[in-house]
Coordinates of all heavy atoms in Angstrom, one line a residue:
V26 N 0.6 3.5 -11.9 CA -0.8 2.9 -12.0 C -0.5 1.5 -12.6 O 0.2 1.2 -13.5 CB -1.7 3.7 -13.0 CG1 -2.9 3.0 -13.2 CG2 -1.8 5.1 -12.6
L27 N -1.2 0.5 -11.9 CA -1.2 -0.9 -12.4 C -2.5 -1.3 -12.7 O -3.5 -1.1 -12.1 CB -0.8 -1.8 -11.2 CG 0.7 -1.5 -10.6 CD1 0.8 -2.3 -9.3 CD2 1.8 -1.9 -11.7
S28 N -2.6 -2.1 -13.9 CA -3.9 -2.7 -14.3 C -4.0 -4.0 -13.6 O -3.1 -4.7 -13.5 CB -4.0 -2.8 -15.8 OG -3.9 -1.6 -16.4
V29 N -5.2 -4.4 -13.3 CA -5.6 -5.7 -12.7 C -6.2 -6.6 -13.8 O -7.4 -6.4 -14.0 CB -6.4 -5.5 -11.4 CG1 -6.7 -6.9 -10.9 CG2 -5.7 -4.6 -10.4
A30 N -5.5 -7.6 -14.2 CA -6.0 -8.5 -15.2 C -6.6 -7.7 -16.3 O -6.2 -6.7 -16.8 CB -7.0 -9.5 -14.6
E31 N -7.7 -8.3 -16.9 CA -8.4 -7.7 -18.0 C -9.7 -7.0 -17.5 O -10.9 -7.4 -18.0 CB -8.7 -8.7 -19.2 CG -7.4 -9.1 -19.8 CD -7.7 -10.1 -20.9 OE1 -8.7 -10.1 -21.5 OE2 -6.7 -10.8 -21.2
S32 N -9.6 -6.1 -16.6 CA -10.7 -5.5 -16.0 C -10.5 -4.0 -15.9 O -9.4 -3.6 -16.1 CB -11.0 -6.0 -14.5 OG -10.0 -5.5 -13.6
P33 N -11.5 -3.3 -15.6 CA -11.4 -1.7 -15.4 C -10.7 -1.4 -14.1 O -10.4 -0.2 -13.8 CB -12.8 -1.2 -15.5 CG -13.6 -2.3 -15.0 CD -12.9 -3.6 -15.5
R34 N -10.3 -2.5 -13.2 CA -9.7 -2.1 -12.0 C -8.3 -1.6 -12.1 O -7.5 -2.2 -13.0 CB -9.7 -3.3 -11.1 CG -11.1 -3.6 -10.7 CD -11.1 -4.3 -9.2 NE -12.5 -4.4 -8.8 CZ -13.2 -5.5 -9.1 NH1 -12.8 -6.5 -9.7 NH2 -14.5 -5.5 -8.6
R35 N -7.9 -0.6 -11.3 CA -6.5 -0.1 -11.4 C -6.0 0.1 -10.0 O -6.7 0.4 -9.1 CB -6.4 1.3 -12.1 CG -7.0 1.2 -13.5 CD -6.0 0.7 -14.5 NE -6.5 0.8 -15.8 CZ -7.2 -0.2 -16.4 NH1 -7.5 -1.3 -15.8 NH2 -7.6 0.0 -17.7
L36 N -4.8 -0.2 -9.7 CA -4.1 0.2 -8.5 C -3.2 1.4 -8.7 O -2.5 1.5 -9.7 CB -3.2 -1.0 -8.0 CG -4.0 -2.2 -7.5 CD1 -3.0 -3.4 -7.2 CD2 -4.9 -1.9 -6.3
V37 N -3.2 2.4 -7.8 CA -2.5 3.5 -7.9 C -1.5 3.6 -6.7 O -1.9 3.5 -5.5 CB -3.4 4.8 -8.0 CG1 -2.5 6.0 -8.0 CG2 -4.3 4.7 -9.2
L38 N -0.3 3.7 -7.0 CA 0.7 3.8 -5.9 C 1.1 5.4 -5.7 O 1.1 6.1 -6.7 CB 2.1 3.2 -6.3 CG 1.9 1.8 -6.9 CD1 3.3 1.4 -7.5 CD2 1.4 0.8 -5.9
G39 N 1.3 5.8 -4.6 CA 1.6 7.2 -4.3 C 1.9 7.5 -2.9 O 2.2 6.6 -2.1
T40 N 1.8 8.7 -2.5 CA 2.0 9.2 -1.2 C 1.0 10.2 -0.8 O 0.3 10.8 -1.6 CB 3.4 10.0 -1.1 OG1 3.3 11.1 -2.0 CG2 4.6 9.1 -1.5
R41 N 0.8 10.3 0.6 CA -0.2 11.2 1.1 C 0.5 12.8 1.0 O 1.6 12.8 1.6 CB -0.5 10.9 2.5 CG -1.5 11.8 3.2 CD -1.8 11.5 4.6 NE -0.6 11.8 5.4 CZ -0.3 11.3 6.5 NH1 -1.2 10.5 7.2 NH2 0.8 11.7 7.2
E42 N -0.1 13.6 0.5 CA 0.3 15.0 0.4 C -0.8 15.9 0.5 O -1.9 15.5 0.1 CB 1.2 15.3 -0.9 CG 2.5 14.4 -1.0 CD 3.3 14.9 -2.1 OE1 3.4 16.0 -2.4 OE2 3.8 13.9 -2.8
P43 N -0.8 17.1 1.0 CA 0.5 17.8 1.4 C 0.8 17.3 2.8 O 0.2 16.4 3.4 CB 0.2 19.2 1.5 CG -1.4 19.2 1.8 CD -1.9 18.0 1.1
G44 N 2.0 17.7 3.3 CA 2.5 17.1 4.6 C 3.5 16.0 4.3 O 4.3 16.1 3.3
T45 N 3.5 15.1 5.1 CA 4.5 14.0 5.0 C 4.2 13.1 3.8 O 3.1 13.0 3.5 CB 4.6 13.2 6.2 OG1 3.3 12.5 6.5 CG2 5.1 14.0 7.5
R46 N 5.2 12.5 3.2 CA 5.0 11.7 2.0 C 4.9 10.3 2.4 O 5.8 9.4 2.1 CB 6.1 12.0 1.0 CG 6.0 13.5 0.6 CD 7.1 13.7 -0.6 NE 6.8 12.8 -1.7 CZ 7.7 12.2 -2.3 NH1 9.0 12.2 -1.9 NH2 7.4 11.4 -3.3
V47 N 3.9 9.8 3.2 CA 3.6 8.5 3.6 C 3.2 7.6 2.4 O 2.3 8.0 1.6 CB 2.5 8.5 4.7 CG1 2.2 7.0 5.1 CG2 3.0 9.3 5.9
P48 N 3.8 6.4 2.3 CA 3.5 5.6 1.2 C 2.0 5.2 1.2 O 1.5 4.7 2.3 CB 4.3 4.4 1.3 CG 5.3 4.7 2.4 CD 4.8 5.8 3.1
M49 N 1.3 5.2 0.1 CA -0.1 4.9 0.1 C -0.5 4.0 -1.2 O 0.3 4.0 -2.1 CB -1.0 6.1 0.0 CG -0.9 7.0 1.2 SD -2.1 8.3 1.3 CE -3.6 7.4 1.4
L50 N -1.6 3.4 -1.2 CA -2.1 2.5 -2.2 C -3.6 2.8 -2.3 O -4.2 2.9 -1.4 CB -1.8 1.1 -1.9 CG -2.1 0.0 -3.0 CD1 -1.2 0.2 -4.2 CD2 -1.9 -1.4 -2.3
A51 N -4.1 2.9 -3.5 CA -5.4 3.1 -3.8 C -6.0 2.2 -4.9 O -5.2 1.7 -5.8 CB -5.8 4.5 -4.2
A52 N -7.3 1.7 -4.9 CA -7.8 0.9 -5.9 C -9.0 1.6 -6.5 O -9.8 2.2 -5.8 CB -8.2 -0.5 -5.3
F53 N -9.0 1.6 -7.9 CA -10.1 2.2 -8.6 C -10.8 1.1 -9.5 O -10.2 0.2 -9.9 CB -9.6 3.3 -9.5 CG -9.3 4.5 -8.8 CD1 -7.9 4.7 -8.2 CD2 -10.1 5.6 -8.6 CE1 -7.5 5.8 -7.5 CE2 -9.7 6.8 -8.0 CZ -8.4 6.8 -7.4
D54 N -12.1 1.3 -9.6 CA -12.9 0.5 -10.6 C -13.3 1.6 -11.7 O -14.2 2.3 -11.4 CB -14.1 -0.2 -10.0 CG -14.8 -1.1 -11.0 OD1 -14.3 -1.3 -12.1 OD2 -15.7 -1.7 -10.5
G55 N -12.6 1.6 -12.8 CA -12.8 2.7 -13.7 C -12.4 4.0 -13.1 O -11.3 4.2 -12.6
E56 N -13.3 5.0 -12.9 CA -13.1 6.2 -12.3 C -13.5 6.2 -10.8 O -13.2 7.1 -10.1 CB -13.9 7.3 -13.0 CG -13.5 7.6 -14.4 CD -12.1 8.1 -14.5 OE1 -11.7 8.9 -13.8 OE2 -11.3 7.7 -15.4
R57 N -14.2 5.2 -10.3 CA -14.7 5.1 -9.0 C -13.6 4.5 -8.0 O -13.1 3.5 -8.2 CB -15.8 4.2 -8.9 CG -16.6 4.2 -7.6 CD -17.9 3.3 -7.7 NE -17.7 2.0 -8.1 CZ -17.7 0.9 -7.2 NH1 -17.9 1.1 -5.9 NH2 -17.5 -0.3 -7.7
L58 N -13.4 5.3 -6.9 CA -12.5 4.9 -5.9 C -13.1 3.8 -5.1 O -14.1 3.9 -4.5 CB -12.0 6.1 -5.0 CG -11.2 5.8 -3.7 CD1 -9.9 5.4 -4.2 CD2 -11.2 7.0 -2.8
L59 N -12.4 2.6 -5.0 CA -12.9 1.5 -4.2 C -12.4 1.6 -2.8 O -13.1 1.6 -1.8 CB -12.4 0.2 -4.8 CG -13.0 -0.1 -6.1 CD1 -12.3 -1.4 -6.7 CD2 -14.5 -0.3 -6.1
W60 N -11.1 1.9 -2.6 CA -10.5 2.1 -1.3 C -9.2 2.8 -1.4 O -8.5 2.8 -2.5 CB -10.4 0.7 -0.6 CG -9.6 -0.3 -1.3 CD1 -10.2 -1.3 -2.1 CD2 -8.3 -0.6 -1.3 NE1 -9.2 -2.1 -2.6 CE2 -8.0 -1.7 -2.1 CE3 -7.2 0.0 -0.6 CZ2 -6.8 -2.2 -2.3 CZ3 -5.9 -0.5 -0.8 CH2 -5.7 -1.6 -1.6
R61 N -8.7 3.3 -0.3 CA -7.3 3.9 -0.2 C -6.7 3.5 1.1 O -7.5 3.4 2.1 CB -7.3 5.3 -0.6 CG -8.0 6.1 0.4 CD -7.9 7.6 0.2 NE -8.7 8.3 1.1 CZ -9.5 9.2 0.9 NH1 -9.7 9.7 -0.4 NH2 -10.1 9.9 1.9
A62 N -5.5 3.4 1.3 CA -4.9 3.1 2.6 C -3.4 3.5 2.6 O -2.6 3.4 1.6 CB -4.9 1.6 2.8
E63 N -3.0 4.1 3.8 CA -1.6 4.3 4.2 C -1.0 2.9 4.3 O -1.7 2.0 4.9 CB -1.5 5.1 5.4 CG -1.9 6.5 5.2 CD -1.7 7.3 6.5 OE1 -1.4 6.7 7.6 OE2 -1.9 8.6 6.4
L64 N 0.1 2.7 3.9 CA 0.8 1.3 4.1 C 1.1 1.0 5.5 O 0.8 -0.1 6.0 CB 2.0 1.1 3.2 CG 1.7 1.1 1.7 CD1 2.9 0.6 0.9 CD2 0.5 0.2 1.3
P65 N 1.8 1.9 6.2 CA 2.0 1.6 7.7 C 0.7 1.5 8.5 O -0.1 2.4 8.4 CB 2.8 2.8 8.2 CG 3.3 3.6 6.9 CD 2.3 3.3 5.8
S66 N 0.6 0.5 9.2 CA -0.6 0.3 10.1 C -0.5 1.1 11.4 O -1.6 1.5 11.9 CB -0.8 -1.2 10.4 OG 0.3 -1.7 11.1
S67 N 0.7 1.4 11.7 CA 0.9 2.4 12.9 C 2.1 3.2 12.6 O 2.9 2.8 11.8 CB 1.0 1.5 14.1 OG 2.1 0.7 14.0
E68 N 2.3 4.2 13.2 CA 3.4 5.1 13.2 C 3.8 5.5 11.8 O 4.9 5.3 11.3 CB 4.6 4.5 13.9 CG 4.3 4.2 15.4 CD 5.6 3.5 16.1 OE1 6.4 4.3 16.4 OE2 5.7 2.3 16.1
P69 N 2.9 6.1 11.0 CA 3.1 6.4 9.6 C 4.3 7.3 9.5 O 5.0 7.2 8.4 CB 1.8 7.0 9.1 CG 1.2 7.5 10.4 CD 1.5 6.6 11.5
L70 N 4.7 8.2 10.4 CA 5.8 9.1 10.2 C 7.1 8.4 10.2 O 8.2 9.0 9.9 CB 5.7 10.2 11.3 CG 4.5 11.1 11.2 CD1 4.5 12.1 12.3 CD2 4.4 11.7 9.9
L71 N 7.2 7.2 10.7 CA 8.4 6.4 10.7 C 8.6 5.7 9.4 O 9.8 5.0 9.1 CB 8.5 5.3 11.8 CG 8.5 6.0 13.1 CD1 8.4 4.9 14.3 CD2 9.6 7.0 13.5
A72 N 7.7 5.7 8.5 CA 7.9 5.2 7.1 C 8.8 6.1 6.3 O 8.8 7.3 6.4 CB 6.6 5.0 6.4
K73 N 9.7 5.5 5.5 CA 10.6 6.3 4.7 C 9.7 6.9 3.7 O 8.8 6.4 3.1 CB 11.6 5.4 4.0 CG 12.7 6.2 3.2 CD 13.8 5.2 2.7 CE 14.8 5.0 3.8 NZ 15.9 4.1 3.2
E74 N 10.0 8.3 3.4 CA 9.1 9.0 2.5 C 9.1 8.5 1.1 O 10.3 8.0 0.7 CB 9.5 10.5 2.5 CG 9.1 11.3 3.8 CD 9.4 12.7 3.7 OE1 10.1 13.2 2.7 OE2 9.0 13.4 4.5
G75 N 8.1 8.5 0.4 CA 8.0 8.0 -1.0 C 7.0 7.0 -1.3 O 6.3 6.5 -0.3
E76 N 6.8 6.6 -2.5 CA 5.9 5.6 -2.9 C 6.3 4.2 -2.4 O 7.4 3.9 -2.0 CB 5.8 5.6 -4.4 CG 5.3 6.8 -5.0 CD 5.2 6.8 -6.6 OE1 5.6 5.9 -7.2 OE2 4.7 7.8 -7.1
P77 N 5.4 3.2 -2.4 CA 5.8 1.8 -2.1 C 6.9 1.3 -2.9 O 7.1 1.7 -4.0 CB 4.5 1.0 -2.4 CG 3.4 2.0 -2.3 CD 4.0 3.4 -2.8
V78 N 7.8 0.5 -2.2 CA 8.9 -0.1 -2.9 C 8.6 -1.0 -4.0 O 9.1 -1.1 -5.1 CB 9.9 -0.7 -1.9 CG1 11.0 -1.4 -2.5 CG2 10.3 0.4 -0.8
A79 N 7.5 -1.9 -3.7 CA 7.2 -2.9 -4.7 C 5.7 -3.3 -4.4 O 5.3 -3.2 -3.2 CB 8.1 -4.2 -4.4
V80 N 5.0 -3.8 -5.4 CA 3.6 -4.1 -5.3 C 3.4 -5.4 -6.1 O 4.0 -5.5 -7.2 CB 2.7 -3.1 -5.8 CG1 1.3 -3.6 -5.9 CG2 2.8 -1.8 -5.0
A81 N 2.7 -6.4 -5.6 CA 2.3 -7.6 -6.4 C 0.8 -7.9 -6.2 O 0.2 -7.5 -5.1 CB 3.1 -8.8 -5.8
V82 N 0.2 -8.5 -7.2 CA -1.3 -8.7 -7.1 C -1.5 -10.1 -7.6 O -0.9 -10.7 -8.5 CB -2.1 -7.8 -8.1 CG1 -3.5 -8.1 -8.1 CG2 -1.8 -6.4 -7.8
G83 N -2.3 -10.8 -6.8 CA -2.6 -12.3 -7.1 C -3.6 -12.8 -6.1 O -3.6 -12.5 -4.9
S84 N -4.4 -13.8 -6.5 CA -5.3 -14.5 -5.7 C -6.2 -13.6 -4.9 O -6.5 -13.8 -3.7 CB -4.6 -15.5 -4.9 OG -3.9 -16.4 -5.5
G85 N -6.6 -12.5 -5.5 CA -7.5 -11.5 -4.8 C -6.9 -10.7 -3.7 O -7.6 -10.1 -2.9
R86 N -5.6 -10.7 -3.8 CA -4.8 -9.9 -2.6 C -3.8 -8.9 -3.3 O -3.4 -9.3 -4.4 CB -4.1 -10.8 -1.7 CG -5.1 -11.6 -0.8 CD -4.4 -12.4 0.3 NE -5.3 -12.8 1.3 CZ -6.2 -13.7 1.2 NH1 -6.4 -14.3 0.0 NH2 -7.0 -14.1 2.1
V87 N -3.4 -7.9 -2.6 CA -2.5 -7.0 -3.1 C -1.3 -7.0 -2.0 O -1.7 -6.8 -0.7 CB -3.0 -5.6 -3.2 CG1 -1.9 -4.6 -3.6 CG2 -4.1 -5.5 -4.1
L88 N -0.1 -7.2 -2.3 CA 1.1 -7.1 -1.4 C 1.8 -5.8 -1.7 O 2.1 -5.6 -2.9 CB 1.9 -8.3 -1.5 CG 1.3 -9.7 -1.2 CD1 2.3 -10.8 -1.5 CD2 0.8 -9.7 0.3
A89 N 2.1 -5.0 -0.9 CA 2.8 -3.8 -1.0 C 4.0 -3.8 0.0 O 3.7 -4.1 1.2 CB 2.0 -2.6 -1.0
A90 N 5.1 -3.3 -0.4 CA 6.3 -3.2 0.5 C 6.7 -1.7 0.6 O 6.6 -0.9 -0.3 CB 7.5 -4.0 -0.1
Y91 N 7.1 -1.4 1.9 CA 7.6 0.0 2.1 C 8.8 -0.2 3.1 O 9.0 -1.2 3.8 CB 6.5 0.9 2.6 CG 6.1 0.6 4.1 CD1 6.6 1.3 5.1 CD2 5.1 -0.4 4.4 CE1 6.2 1.0 6.4 CE2 4.7 -0.7 5.7 CZ 5.3 0.1 6.7 OH 5.0 -0.2 8.0
E92 N 9.5 0.9 3.2 CA 10.7 0.9 4.1 C 10.4 1.8 5.3 O 9.7 2.8 5.1 CB 12.0 1.5 3.4 CG 12.4 0.5 2.3 CD 13.6 1.2 1.6 OE1 13.4 2.0 0.7 OE2 14.8 0.8 2.0
R93 N 11.0 1.3 6.4 CA 10.9 2.2 7.6 C 12.2 2.9 7.8 O 13.3 2.3 7.5 CB 10.7 1.3 8.9 CG 9.2 0.9 9.1 CD 8.9 0.2 10.4 NE 9.3 1.1 11.5 CZ 8.5 1.2 12.6 NH1 7.4 0.7 12.6 NH2 9.0 2.0 13.5
S94 N 12.2 4.1 8.1 CA 13.5 4.9 8.3 C 14.1 4.7 9.6 O 15.3 4.9 9.7 CB 13.1 6.4 8.1 OG 12.2 6.8 9.0
D95 N 13.4 4.3 10.6 CA 14.0 4.3 12.0 C 14.7 2.9 12.2 O 15.7 2.8 12.9 CB 13.0 4.4 13.1 CG 11.9 3.3 13.0 OD1 11.6 2.7 11.9 OD2 11.4 3.1 14.2
R96 N 14.3 1.8 11.5 CA 15.0 0.5 11.7 C 15.6 0.0 10.4 O 16.2 -1.1 10.5 CB 13.9 -0.5 12.1 CG 13.3 -0.1 13.4 CD 12.3 -1.2 13.8 NE 11.3 -0.7 14.8 CZ 10.2 -1.3 15.0 NH1 9.7 -2.3 14.2 NH2 9.5 -0.8 15.9
E97 N 15.7 0.8 9.3 CA 16.2 0.3 8.1 C 15.7 -1.1 7.8 O 16.4 -2.1 7.5 CB 17.8 0.2 8.2 CG 18.4 1.6 8.5 CD 18.3 2.4 7.3 OE1 18.4 2.0 6.1 OE2 18.1 3.7 7.5
E98 N 14.4 -1.2 7.8 CA 13.8 -2.5 7.6 C 12.7 -2.3 6.5 O 12.1 -1.3 6.3 CB 13.1 -3.2 8.8 CG 11.9 -2.6 9.2 CD 11.3 -3.3 10.5 OE1 11.9 -4.2 11.1 OE2 10.1 -2.9 10.8
L99 N 12.5 -3.4 5.8 CA 11.5 -3.5 4.8 C 10.2 -4.2 5.4 O 10.3 -5.3 6.0 CB 11.9 -4.3 3.5 CG 11.0 -4.3 2.3 CD1 11.0 -2.9 1.8 CD2 11.6 -5.3 1.3
R100 N 9.0 -3.6 5.1 CA 7.8 -4.2 5.7 C 6.9 -4.5 4.5 O 6.8 -3.8 3.5 CB 7.1 -3.3 6.6 CG 8.0 -3.0 7.9 CD 7.3 -2.3 9.0 NE 6.2 -3.1 9.6 CZ 6.3 -4.1 10.5 NH1 7.5 -4.5 10.9 NH2 5.2 -4.6 10.9
V101 N 6.2 -5.6 4.6 CA 5.2 -6.1 3.6 C 3.8 -6.0 4.1 O 3.6 -6.6 5.3 CB 5.5 -7.4 3.0 CG1 4.5 -7.8 2.0 CG2 6.9 -7.4 2.4
V102 N 2.8 -5.4 3.4 CA 1.4 -5.3 3.9 C 0.6 -6.1 2.9 O 0.8 -6.0 1.6 CB 1.0 -3.9 4.0 CG1 -0.4 -3.8 4.5 CG2 2.0 -3.0 4.7
C103 N -0.4 -6.8 3.3 CA -1.4 -7.5 2.5 C -2.8 -6.9 2.7 O -3.3 -6.8 3.8 CB -1.4 -9.0 2.9 SG -2.6 -10.0 1.9
F104 N -3.4 -6.5 1.5 CA -4.7 -6.0 1.5 C -5.6 -7.0 0.6 O -5.1 -7.6 -0.4 CB -4.8 -4.6 0.8 CG -4.1 -3.7 1.6 CD1 -2.8 -3.2 1.2 CD2 -4.6 -3.0 2.7 CE1 -2.1 -2.2 1.9 CE2 -3.9 -2.0 3.3 CZ -2.7 -1.6 3.0
E105 N -6.8 -7.1 0.9 CA -7.8 -7.7 0.0 C -8.1 -6.8 -1.2 O -8.3 -5.6 -0.9 CB -9.2 -8.1 0.7 CG -9.0 -9.2 1.8 CD -10.3 -9.5 2.5 OE1 -11.3 -9.1 2.0 OE2 -10.1 -10.1 3.6
L106 N -8.0 -7.3 -2.4 CA -8.1 -6.6 -3.6 C -9.4 -5.8 -3.7 O -9.5 -4.5 -4.0 CB -7.9 -7.3 -4.8 CG -7.9 -6.7 -6.2 CD1 -6.9 -5.5 -6.2 CD2 -7.8 -7.6 -7.3
I107 N -10.5 -6.4 -3.4 CA -11.9 -5.8 -3.6 C -12.2 -4.8 -2.5 O -12.6 -3.7 -2.7 CB -12.9 -6.8 -3.7 CG1 -12.7 -7.8 -4.8 CG2 -14.3 -6.2 -3.9 CD1 -12.6 -7.2 -6.3
S108 N -12.0 -5.1 -1.3 CA -12.4 -4.4 -0.1 C -11.4 -3.4 0.3 O -11.7 -2.5 1.1 CB -13.0 -5.3 1.0 OG -11.9 -6.0 1.6
G109 N -10.1 -3.7 0.3 CA -9.0 -3.0 0.8 C -8.7 -3.3 2.3 O -7.9 -2.6 2.9
K110 N -9.4 -4.3 2.8 CA -9.2 -4.8 4.1 C -7.8 -5.2 4.4 O -7.3 -6.0 3.6 CB -10.2 -5.9 4.5 CG -10.1 -6.4 5.9 CD -10.9 -7.5 6.3 CE -10.6 -8.1 7.7 NZ -11.2 -9.4 7.8
R111 N -7.1 -4.7 5.4 CA -5.8 -5.0 5.7 C -5.8 -6.5 6.4 O -6.4 -6.7 7.4 CB -5.1 -4.1 6.6 CG -3.7 -4.3 7.0 CD -3.2 -3.3 8.0 NE -3.4 -1.9 7.5 CZ -2.4 -1.2 7.0 NH1 -1.3 -1.7 6.8 NH2 -2.7 0.1 6.5
S112 N -5.1 -7.4 5.7 CA -5.0 -8.8 6.2 C -3.8 -9.0 7.3 O -4.0 -9.6 8.3 CB -4.9 -9.8 5.1 OG -6.0 -9.7 4.3
W113 N -2.8 -8.4 6.9 CA -1.6 -8.5 7.8 C -0.4 -7.6 7.3 O -0.4 -7.1 6.2 CB -1.0 -9.9 7.8 CG -0.8 -10.7 6.5 CD1 -1.7 -11.5 5.9 CD2 0.3 -10.6 5.6 NE1 -1.2 -12.0 4.7 CE2 0.1 -11.4 4.5 CE3 1.5 -9.9 5.6 CZ2 1.0 -11.6 3.5 CZ3 2.4 -10.0 4.6 CH2 2.1 -10.9 3.6
E114 N 0.6 -7.4 8.2 CA 1.7 -6.6 7.9 C 2.9 -7.3 8.7 O 2.8 -7.7 9.8 CB 1.5 -5.2 8.5 CG 2.9 -4.3 8.1 CD 2.6 -2.9 8.5 OE1 1.5 -2.4 8.7 OE2 3.6 -2.2 8.7
V115 N 3.9 -7.5 8.0 CA 5.1 -8.2 8.6 C 6.5 -7.5 8.2 O 6.5 -7.0 7.1 CB 5.1 -9.7 8.3 CG1 5.3 -9.9 6.8 CG2 6.1 -10.5 9.0
A116 N 7.5 -7.6 9.0 CA 8.8 -7.2 8.6 C 9.5 -8.3 7.9 O 9.4 -9.4 8.3 CB 9.6 -6.8 9.8
L117 N 10.3 -8.0 6.8 CA 11.0 -9.0 6.1 C 12.3 -9.2 6.9 O 13.1 -8.2 7.1 CB 11.2 -8.6 4.6 CG 10.1 -8.8 3.8 CD1 10.5 -8.4 2.4 CD2 9.5 -10.2 3.8
P118 N 12.7 -10.4 7.2 CA 14.0 -10.5 7.9 C 15.2 -10.2 7.0 O 15.2 -10.5 5.7 CB 14.0 -12.0 8.3 CG 13.0 -12.7 7.4 CD 12.0 -11.6 7.0
G119 N 16.3 -9.8 7.6 CA 17.5 -9.6 6.8 C 17.4 -8.4 6.0 O 18.2 -8.1 5.1

């Protein structure tokens, strides 16, 4: 669980269960769920099982990283903090 500045907002890192352990992110305002999202935008079963590798918050956006198991690559996803709208997803080179 990550706190967002000095507000009641919290980010929760986790996985979708039962079933496959796809990396997920959720945002809460106090006890109220604002949004939740699987990190992979497509082919969630190709994500390495487990929580997001890293998360950063700033300028109204949330960046979260996860690994793909098929390509041994790290991918970064950007969400809008308030709405949870996915802005972009990209593979990190190297």
Side-chain angles (χ1 to χ4, degrees):
V26 177
L27 300 172
S28 296
V29 180
E31 294 182 21
S32 75
R34 289 209 175 92
R35 304 282 183 266
L36 291 172
V37 178
L38 314 171
T40 59
R41 180 183 70 199
E42 293 187 43
T45 60
R46 296 186 60 229
V47 175
M49 295 190 71
L50 186 63
F53 287 85
D54 187 2
E56 297 293 319
R57 184 173 62 100
L58 175 66
L59 296 175
W60 55 269
R61 67 175 177 227
E63 291 180 350
L64 293 191
S66 59
S67 64
E68 304 180 82
L70 297 180
L71 295 180
K73 191 175 277 187
E74 290 186 348
E76 295 180 358
V78 175
V80 175
V82 179
S84 300
R86 291 188 165 68
V87 179
L88 300 177
Y91 72 95
E92 293 179 275
R93 280 186 59 132
S94 58
D95 64 331
R96 296 186 199 153
E97 298 292 323
E98 77 178 9
L99 188 66
R100 298 191 62 85
V101 177
V102 185
C103 178
F104 296 98
E105 291 181 15
L106 179 60
I107 301 300
S108 68
K110 179 182 174 198
R111 183 183 303 264
S112 299
W113 48 263
E114 180 175 342
V115 67
L117 284 181

